[in-house]
Amino acid sequence: MAEIGLFDAMYSARSLRRLKPDPVSDAIITKILDAAIRAPSAGNAQHWAFIVVRDAEQRRKLGAIYRKASDIASAIYRARGRPAHMTEAQYRRFLASGAYLWDHMGEAPVLLVPCLRERPPPPREALPPSVEAIYEQELAYERRIRGASIYPAVQNIILACRAFGLGTLITTNHIRCEDEVKAVLGLPEDVSTYALMPIGYPVGKFGPLARRPVQEVTYADRWGTVWGAEPGATASAEARTRTQAG
Ligand SMILES: Cc1cc2nc3c(=O)[nH]c(=O)nc-3n(C[C@H](O)[C@H](O)[C@H](O)COP(=O)(O)O)c2cc1C
């Protein structure tokens, strides 16, 4: 199989929710995970674990939990409404694609569950007084960055799947029913799941990925000052001040 370029992969690895039931070889799954573990983690702790679920009954159970959790997600989506950058048609397609997965998660030949073991800071008394005094702040910091030690690995999985012509996406709805997921997978108390990724050969096609443009989401030096360079431009364009900041 010809290797896809990195940028081609990044630009076309869209969320593919309709997957064929054809099996995916263990060798390919191992290569995907070998790419996943090249990702960074805080303090290089590598406190991750990946559960590869192929057993039909296990997939059925996880699928049922995803279905249940998605009822909550769908109520949230209804209340939140369409993001301004999406057209009505795009939003309808997005909702329909998401809803398809509610009923079909368990049918993907592989369900991959990236997990992290808890990594609490050292006990308060082991710290110097200056840090002990701000221990709660340190706990909040740890909570804030926790996911950043697994989601880079998730993105590597998405790109590695793309390289092998496999469809996948990151889903998180199941976390709303985390205890049930942990019971099905037999996870230790201090291990949590961060994503549920169906993997399989796709029914639909890859990319291209539509996104809000760089200029709309990037500022130069401070909030509100437009980043002006076109993608691919070699010299940075002069920054202009946005008239309507935001
Ligand atoms: C943190 C996070 C959680 C997500 N959870 C779900 C989910 O539970 N179910 C789902 O179908 N898609 C989920 N997605 C996928 C998004 O809907 C998808 O990335 C977005 O619509 C862009 O799709 P595209 O890459 O195909 O353009 C999630 C994405 C992220 C980043």
Side-chain angles (χ1 to χ4, degrees):
M1 182 178 163
E3 279 245 339
I4 183 173
L6 177 59
F7 278 82
D8 285 343
M10 288 193 293
Y11 279 67
S12 64
R14 73 182 180 89
S15 302
L16 288 163
R17 298 180 176 86
R18 286 165 206 268
L19 304 171
K20 297 176 185 166
D22 312 20
V24 181
S25 78
D26 288 4
I28 288 182
I29 293 295
T30 303
K31 282 190 173 166
I32 289 167
L33 291 171
D34 204 42
I37 60 166
R38 305 299 140 186
S41 57
N44 198 19
Q46 301 178 44
H47 49 315
W48 44 47
F50 303 88
I51 318 286
V52 181
V53 183
R54 289 162 307 168
D55 178 81
E57 184 55 14
Q58 286 288 81
R59 285 187 286 124
R60 191 194 61 73
K61 286 181 187 166
L62 291 179
I65 297 170
Y66 184 78
R67 161 80 254 189
K68 187 168 114 181
S70 294
D71 287 343
I72 306 168
S74 110
I76 301 277
Y77 274 112
R78 266 200 306 276
R80 188 177 272 153
R82 168 172 67 90
H85 65 85
M86 278 194 198
T87 63
E88 261 308 330
Q90 282 172 329
Y91 190 54
R92 263 201 312 276
R93 275 200 301 277
F94 160 77
L95 289 179
S97 175
Y100 172 87
L101 197 57
W102 300 345
D103 296 321
H104 298 275
M105 176 65 89
E107 294 165 23
V110 177
L111 295 180
L112 181 59
V113 190
C115 304
L116 273 184
R117 195 176 277 278
E118 268 173 38
R119 189 169 170 264
R124 200 186 282 261
E125 50 291 357
L127 295 164
S130 59
V131 184
E132 203 186 332
I134 53 158
Y135 195 70
E136 301 310 322
Q137 209 174 298
E138 192 53 29
L139 290 177
Y141 165 78
E142 201 281 329
R143 278 196 299 276
R144 172 86 186 268
I145 66 158
R146 194 174 296 164
S149 283
I150 190 69
Y151 291 126
V154 167
Q155 183 65 16
N156 276 4
I157 292 167
I158 291 171
L159 293 176
C161 281
R162 174 67 191 90
F164 284 112
L166 286 162
T168 193
L169 76 155
I170 170 177
T171 80
T172 54
N173 279 344
H174 72 284
I175 294 173
R176 296 185 163 98
C177 303
E178 171 82 350
D179 289 349
E180 291 175 54
V181 175
K182 284 180 76 156
V184 169
L185 298 176
L187 296 186
E189 189 58 39
D190 65 342
V191 173
S192 304
T193 71
Y194 281 75
L196 173 60
M197 307 179 77
I199 297 179
Y201 292 97
V203 173
K205 290 190 166 51
F206 290 102
L209 286 169
R211 293 288 187 261
R212 295 171 63 197
V214 172
Q215 283 75 11
E216 211 178 289
V217 297
T218 311
Y219 299 117
D221 299 326
R222 63 182 65 245
W223 189 271
T225 309
V226 171
W227 174 259
E230 292 297 323
T234 47
S236 67
E238 210 170 289
R240 290 160 285 137
T241 301
R242 225 187 257 279
T243 42
Q244 25 165 161

